[in-house]
Amino acid sequence: MIKLAQVSVRRGSLAVLHDISTDIPQGKITAVVGPSGVGKSTLLATLNGLLRPYAGQISINGVGSLEKPASLQAFRRRTATVFQEHALIDRLTAMDNVLLGLADLRHPLSLLPWPPAMRYRAAKALEDVGLLHRCDVRAANLSGGERQRVGVARALIRKPRLLLGDEPFAAVDPALVQQMGDIIRQMVVRDGVTVILVMHQIDTALLLADKVIALAAGRIAFDGPPTGFNQQKQQQIFQSSGLLH
Ligand SMILES: Nc1ncnc2c1ncn2[C@@H]1O[C@H](COP(=O)(O)OP(=O)(O)OP(=O)(O)O)[C@@H](O)[C@H]1O
Ligand SMILES: [Mg+2]
C-alpha cells in the first residue's frame, strides 16, 4: 500500500496539489481522473519520485518514506511508468524502445547486443499490446496510438510491482483498450501488481478500476469505489472546467 499524508506539490512557483491524503491499495487498480490541468500528471510524477512534495509524506509498504534516498532507489527498481508523451527514442525501433525498459539491468556502457532472453521478453511485451508485427519499425514512423502501445510494452517488460500509467490508452482504439485493460488486470490478479492509471475516458476507468480518485482544483474531490462515482459527482467535478469526460 502507498500512503499519502497531506501531500502538497508545486510546479515552479505554482502550487498544484494541496493537502492530498489517501491510500493506494496494493494489488488493485486505482484510476485518477479529473479535468485537464488539475494535477493528475503531477500526482503521478510525485508518486514515482520525479517530483518531491513541499509538504506532507509518501510512504510505501516494505520500502518506507520516499524521502530517504535508499528507499527511493529501491522503490524505483520495482516501478514502471507509461508517460503521457510516450517518451520514445525516435531513431530506435519499437523493439529497441521496449528493451530500454530493461536498461537498468545492463551496464550503462554495454555495447553488446541485447541477450536473446531479453529480446524474447520484448517480443512478448509487444505481442501483448498487439504490435509484434511492427517490432522492426522505427518509433518515428509509428502512429500516435502505436507509439503509446510501445510505451506500455516498455513498462510491462519490467514486470513491475507498481505500474503507473499517464493516460496509457488515450490514443488507442476501443478493442485494443479492452485487450490492454485485460493484460493489466491479469498482472494484478496473477502477480499482485499495484496499478495507478490516469484516465480521461471515465467509462473505461469505471470498468477497469477498483478505486477512483477524482481531483478538482488540486484537491481530492472523490475517493472511493467506482460504483460511488455517479453521474452527479462526475458532473460536479467536470463542470467547473466546462469539460464533461
Ligand atoms: N513543468 C512545469 N512547470 C510549471 N508548471 C507546470 C509544469 N507542468 C505542469 N505545470 C502546471 O501544473 C498544473 C497541473 O499540470 P498537470 O500536467 O499535472 O495536469 P493534468 O491534470 O495532468 O492535465 P492533462 O489532463 O491536461 O494532462 C497545470 O496548471 C500546469 O500548467
Ligand atoms: Mg496530464
Side-chain angles (χ1 to χ4, degrees):
M1 186 182 73
I2 303 175
K3 197 172 187 56
L4 289 89
Q6 294 169 311
V7 167
S8 299
V9 184
R10 280 196 197 103
R11 306 281 322 238
S13 58
L14 184 71
V16 175
L17 296 175
H18 316 280
D19 205 17
I20 304 282
S21 296
T22 188
D23 293 335
I24 309 283
Q26 200 160 330
K28 303 261 189 249
I29 301 177
T30 298
V32 178
V33 302
S36 180
V38 79
K40 303 181 296 297
S41 297
T42 301
L43 180 62
L44 230 53
T46 309
L47 284 169
N48 74 13
L50 287 174
L51 289 175
R52 291 180 63 167
Y54 70 86
Q57 234 200 5
I58 302 177
S59 52
I60 297 173
N61 254 7
V63 170
S65 166
L66 279 196
E67 277 165 50
K68 299 192 197 106
S71 305
L72 183 59
Q73 203 181 20
F75 171 70
R76 289 189 119 169
R77 267 200 298 275
R78 334 188 302 188
T79 304
T81 306
V82 183
F83 291 96
Q84 191 168 11
E85 301 85 14
H86 321 318
L88 303 185
I89 298 186
D90 275 346
R91 66 187 163 77
L92 296 183
T93 63
M95 169 75 93
D96 284 337
N97 269 287
V98 174
L99 283 163
L100 286 179
L102 298 177
D104 59 348
L105 301 183
R106 299 220 306 174
H107 190 280
L109 297 177
S110 174
L111 296 171
L112 298 171
W114 290 94
M118 286 186 175
R119 295 184 66 81
Y120 179 81
R121 263 169 81 177
K124 185 75 188 58
L126 280 168
E127 188 181 34
D128 282 347
V129 298
L131 271 187
L132 188 54
H133 64 294
R134 304 287 274 161
C135 67
D136 288 330
V137 177
R138 284 173 187 233
N141 298 332
L142 295 173
S143 74
E146 286 172 340
R147 291 171 65 82
Q148 196 159 34
R149 282 143 68 197
V150 173
V152 172
R154 186 183 50 193
L156 295 181
I157 196 178
R158 290 178 65 76
K159 297 197 197 308
R161 301 302 303 152
L162 173 66
L163 176 68
L164 303 171
D166 200 344
E167 306 208 11
F169 310 139
V172 176
D173 59 58
L176 272 163
V177 170
Q178 167 113 42
Q179 185 188 328
M180 288 160 72
D182 288 349
I183 289 162
I184 289 173
R185 173 57 68 191
Q186 214 179 36
M187 287 172 69
V188 167
V189 172
R190 190 187 54 204
D191 311 322
V193 175
T194 302
V195 179
I196 307 172
L197 300 176
V198 171
M199 297 181 78
H200 77 215
Q201 307 105 319
I202 300 290
D203 297 341
T204 315
L206 296 183
L207 282 176
L208 192 59
D210 302 300
K211 169 177 170 126
V212 175
I213 296 173
L215 297 178
R219 292 177 193 275
I220 292 189
F222 176 85
D223 184 344
T227 43
F229 194 50
N230 57 29
Q231 290 279 342
Q232 192 194 350
K233 295 216 167 74
Q234 293 173 34
Q235 254 156 18
Q236 278 168 8
I237 286 161
F238 286 92
Q239 71 188 3
S240 54
S241 67
L243 294 167
L244 197 60
H245 304 185

